[in-house]
Amino acid sequence: MTRVLISADMEGVTGVTCPDDVEPGTASWERMRPLFTGDVNAVVDGLLAGGASEVLVNDAHYTQRNLLLEALDPRARLLTGRHKPLGMMEGIERADAVVFLGYHTGAGQQGVLAHTYLGTGLTAFRIDGEPADEGRMNALIAEEHGVPVVLVTGDDLTCEAAGTWAPGARVVAVKECVSRYAALCLPPARSAELLREQAVEAARRHRVRSERPDAETPRAGGAPARSLRFELDFHAPHLAAAVLAVPTVEPHGPRGIAFTAPDATTAARTFKVCTSIAGTAMEDHFG
């Protein structure tokens, strides 16, 4: 049995190029919801054709109520709504493989709608001194659970970045970055072909590897926990100062903070607390 989790973000899906495309309640967001669901359906179809037995889709964008349940492939299940203990990675504890769909590059980096936890004033993010984004952080959580990232989709720069934090994953670029708010986009029908094709291959490769006689027992405790150092830079000093209220957090430069956590899950949860506090410290107009 191969149970696959799809962690589905929206900025990296077919046709999305501007803030209104991913802002719930706008006309552009309503227009992009079927395209978002279409990307998911193409991957679900490919995974099942490649040998997956179950697919769980975690709607991981913003309000986490973006995908159209009524249009979802009926063979999949949808995890929708907020306040999930593991956020974008909820469901990883029951998965054998994970897909990062519609992902994007991080704050301060080139890429379509590049950001890290939007609305928090974050301008740069590093893990153990290396440039990081939501994908790298989530890949570490997957690794901790012994679950490989088998497919990453997004713009071309996201796919390039994935080579550093999920080197064994298949990638699909559904658009080519021109600027933060412009891209050369594939039509949905063409995106669907590529997404399905690579999802089939990702599922097949995972099944073949897991069935090898010398393969390790899937999810055999995951990777050993290791400490991680997170460094966050904000656009203004007062945001960093506000975050210093979080235990274990220390100043790092004039507009930054840092902390060390014993494992990836704890690090990600601490990161969420830090960015939530920074978001509440933002002021209208001045930020």
Side-chain angles (χ1 to χ4, degrees), residues 30-52:
E30 288 288 1
R31 174 174 172 252
M32 291 299 166
R33 294 178 75 193
L35 273 68
F36 187 13
T37 308
D39 277 15
V40 168
N41 282 344
V43 171
V44 170
D45 189 38
L47 292 171
L48 293 171

Side-chain angles (χ1 to χ4, degrees), residues 222-245:
R226 61 185 179 90
S227 64
L228 298 164
R229 180 174 173 82
F230 278 31
E231 297 171 354
L232 288 69
D233 295 341
F234 298 95
H235 76 78
H238 77 281
L239 301 179
V243 175
L244 291 177

Side-chain angles (χ1 to χ4, degrees), residues 183-246:
L184 293 169
C185 296
L186 293 173
R190 180 61 181 139
S191 288
E193 291 177 2
L194 295 177
L195 291 165
R196 185 185 187 282
E197 175 184 291
Q198 292 304 316
V200 168
E201 183 62 24
R204 284 177 176 167
R205 288 178 61 185
H206 179 266
R207 189 182 73 244
V208 169
R209 288 177 179 175
S210 63
E211 290 176 352
R212 287 201 318 257
D214 60 338
E216 296 181 4
T217 303
R219 298 174 52 79
R226 61 185 179 90
S227 64
L228 298 164
R229 180 174 173 82
F230 278 31
E231 297 171 354
L232 288 69
D233 295 341
F234 298 95
H235 76 78
H238 77 281
L239 301 179
V243 175
L244 291 177
V246 179

